[in-house]
Amino acid sequence: MALIVQKYGGTSVANPDRIRNVARRVARYKAMGHQVVVVVSAMSGETNKLINLAKELMAEPDPRELDMIVSTGEQVTVGMTALALIELGIKAKSYTGAQVKILTDDAYTKARILNIDQVNLKADLDAGYVCVVAGFQGVDAQGNITTLGRGGSDTTGVALAAALGADECQIYTDVDGVYTTDPRLVPEARRLNSITFEEMLELASQGSKVLQIRSVEFAGKYKVKLRVLSSFEEEGDGTLITFEEEDNMEQPIISGIAFNRDEAKITVLGVPDKPGIAYQILGPIADANIDVDMIIQNTGADGATDFTFTVHKNEMNKALAILNDKVQAHIGAREISGDDKIAKVSVVGVGMRSHVGIASQMFRTLAEEGINIQMISTSEIKIAVVVDEKYLELAVRVLHKAFELEGK
Ligand code: ADP
Ligand code: ASP
Ligand code: MG
């Protein structure tokens, strides 16, 4: 007997038929003698609908109330999934995040999980129930409902698997595994049988939405056996996230290409070049809980420095307001501007460590298509570039081809 956590995304629970389908798979695992915890997302499109509903009353909705509203999407699907299971003669119980007690901090709309109380779930599992838990939501120490950021149900699944000491966490979605890049953009993309944890972390952090980055972080921290599978196919092993690079296997140099349309670029031009500038600019941004991704600072011959960084598109206006209202008076920049028509494209692979020339191959490939690179950032296993968003698809396609990632 194993304890298995199965997470189903929005398209997998998009309507009653699909929910019935989920229940049938869960029933098969129960019939094999396993204990099963099911985590579900809201029906596809529902979270967006709820956010838009809130925006009809307030352009930038109050975060506490927004979490109250969007968390209802998952409350519907847990109840529905439990009903479908009960109809199949399976003992099942639905739980909100608060009922489990998935304790988070109070950073509404992007809360972090601090602790999961497993007492109730364990007791129900031992009594033969399937526990159906709402993804994406938690509760803070004061009892307020919080949510974990878009795509957060993946994190609920993996965090529950870690807390319960599950034997495996299965992420069921609308593709049958992790591909060399998003198969919706590049139909020639190839499914990977396995991918190292490090690569998956990098792909997720660079924008591959197949797994939310925090879910991969949890899997790494607690060594959760994590697999991505299709909820629409009965067969198939999906993609296993592995923790050791198999040294008997030739590692591909590049495993995948990620892209991100959600970032915006902020440029602060002509700042006097002196110690403390980076801190003066980014300190107030961090204090406002705005995540910064890429950063570039460049000093010109005139002794003035230009400073560019990227933030989530949703936070560009907030960041610009902070710079104009609080920071500009101290730094005296010549110009502060924002650009949200950008995209980031990243090539990822642990094999890069032992190979030189990947960056030049990437830059050459983009140059041959006339794609201008606006920013570059590298790590041991990644090269990321920011380009005009209109070149995103072209850039991903030509890089996928140049690095020979197509299916055989
Ligand atoms: P769910 O609702 O099940 O959580 P998501 O839409 O969040 O599903 O994630 C699955 C989607 O991720 C796929 O439909 C695919 O378009 C996208 N995706 C992006 N990059 C990849 C990749 N490298 N491999 C597989 N899917 C990817
Ligand atoms: N329903 C939430 C979202 O759309 C969480 C999830 O699907 O993982 O972001
Ligand atoms: Mg998702």
Side-chain angles (χ1 to χ4, degrees):
M1 183 190 75
L3 170 54
I4 295 169
V5 175
Q6 298 186 334
K7 177 262 170 176
Y8 293 90
T11 36
S12 309
V13 294
N15 56 49
D17 272 346
R18 291 196 178 163
I19 292 175
R20 230 177 254 128
N21 203 33
V22 165
R24 282 192 212 107
R25 177 179 289 97
V26 175
R28 283 203 300 279
Y29 274 83
K30 276 298 276 180
M32 288 184 251
H34 302 310
Q35 292 186 328
V36 189
V37 174
V38 179
V39 174
V40 288
S41 295
M43 293 180 181
S44 60
E46 196 56 31
T47 307
N48 285 343
K49 212 189 282 172
L50 291 165
I51 292 172
N52 290 334
L53 195 62
K55 285 186 173 168
E56 283 190 31
L57 287 179
M58 198 185 279
E60 303 246 349
D62 175 89
R64 179 187 185 275
E65 305 314 326
L66 185 61
D67 277 357
M68 178 67 89
I69 295 163
V70 295
S71 65
T72 60
E74 275 75 10
Q75 195 168 332
V76 173
T77 47
V78 279
M80 293 288 282
T81 307
L83 285 184
L85 285 162
I86 294 166
E87 272 290 297
L88 292 179
I90 300 208
K91 284 165 70 176
K93 239 189 221 185
S94 60
Y95 285 85
T96 62
Q99 284 173 322
V100 173
K101 199 143 189 229
I102 298 178
L103 184 71
T104 70
D105 61 19
D106 60 3
Y108 298 114
T109 76
K110 51 180 178 186
R112 283 184 177 270
I113 296 177
L114 302 174
N115 185 54
I116 294 184
D117 188 346
Q118 18 144 332
V119 176
N120 294 335
L121 293 183
K122 279 264 191 219
D124 279 339
L125 287 170
D126 289 341
Y129 283 93
V130 170
C131 298
V132 186
V133 180
F136 177 56
Q137 56 176 262
V139 64
D140 73 5
Q142 273 67 50
N144 299 299
I145 293 176
T146 56
T147 65
L148 310 178
R150 298 308 303 270
S153 299
D154 296 332
T155 300
T156 308
V158 181
L160 273 171
L164 294 166
D167 297 281
E168 183 163 323
C169 180
Q170 303 172 340
I171 304 285
Y172 288 94
T173 182
D174 53 6
V175 283
D176 62 350
V178 178
Y179 278 68
T180 47
T181 192
D182 189 339
R184 283 178 214 291
L185 197 79
V186 182
E188 296 78 26
R190 180 168 47 88
R191 185 179 60 81
L192 303 164
N193 288 322
S194 68
I195 183 166
T196 67
F197 156 73
E198 257 187 304
E199 287 169 323
M200 193 63 240
L201 192 65
E202 197 69 68
L203 283 177
S205 82
Q206 297 306 312
S208 284
K209 298 214 163 101
V210 62
L211 286 176
Q212 198 202 34
I213 179 163
R214 285 183 188 169
S215 72
V216 188
E217 286 168 356
F218 259 102
K221 190 162 171 198
Y222 298 100
K223 294 285 175 287
V224 175
K225 188 174 173 195
L226 182 59
R227 198 183 283 281
V228 177
L229 302 136
S230 165
S231 73
F232 300 114
E233 288 168 21
E234 309 251 314
E235 306 283 319
D237 294 330
T239 302
L240 180 68
I241 318 301
T242 59
F243 292 101
E244 275 140 52
E245 291 167 30
E246 291 154 70
D247 37 29
N248 55 345
M249 263 173 56
E250 175 80 3
Q251 279 292 340
I253 301 169
I254 304 297
S255 293
I257 300 178
F259 54 86
N260 190 345
R261 294 186 175 93
D262 296 337
E263 287 187 26
K265 185 176 78 170
I266 292 184
T267 306
V268 183
L269 290 180
V271 185
D273 189 24
K274 53 181 191 217
I277 281 297
Y279 175 65
Q280 279 183 330
I281 293 174
L282 293 180
I285 300 288
D287 292 344
N289 204 11
I290 297 174
D291 290 326
V292 171
D293 179 27
M294 290 165 108
I295 304 171
I296 289 181
Q297 188 182 350
N298 233 337
T299 304
D302 59 354
T305 192
D306 296 338
F307 200 90
T308 309
F309 60 98
T310 61
V311 297
H312 194 284
K313 264 183 191 164
N314 290 344
E315 298 189 306
M316 181 179 86
N317 287 336
K318 193 170 154 195
L320 283 173
I322 292 169
L323 293 177
N324 285 315
D325 301 347
K326 296 195 187 146
V327 178
Q328 173 65 337
H330 307 293
I331 60 171
R334 194 174 72 242
E335 188 189 324
I336 299 175
S337 62
D339 177 3
D340 62 1
K341 302 274 182 287
I342 59 157
K344 188 172 70 167
V345 178
S346 316
V347 299
V348 171
V350 290
M352 253 188 239
R353 282 200 189 109
S354 48
H355 280 80
V356 288
I358 302 301
S360 65
Q361 190 180 349
M362 181 177 187
F363 303 154
R364 188 179 63 232
T365 305
L366 296 173
E368 281 167 2
E369 297 295 330
I371 300 172
N372 185 42
I373 298 172
Q374 302 180 11
M375 295 174 87
I376 300 171
S377 113
T378 63
S379 77
E380 248 196 321
I381 65 164
K382 166 209 79 187
I383 305 161
V385 297
V386 166
V387 298
D388 188 316
E389 70 174 5
K390 71 177 184 241
Y391 293 124
L392 171 68
E393 294 195 19
L394 177 64
V396 174
R397 286 215 182 92
V398 295
L399 290 170
H400 196 268
K401 203 161 171 41
F403 288 109
E404 298 175 6
L405 298 175
E406 299 99 332
K408 296 274 170 341

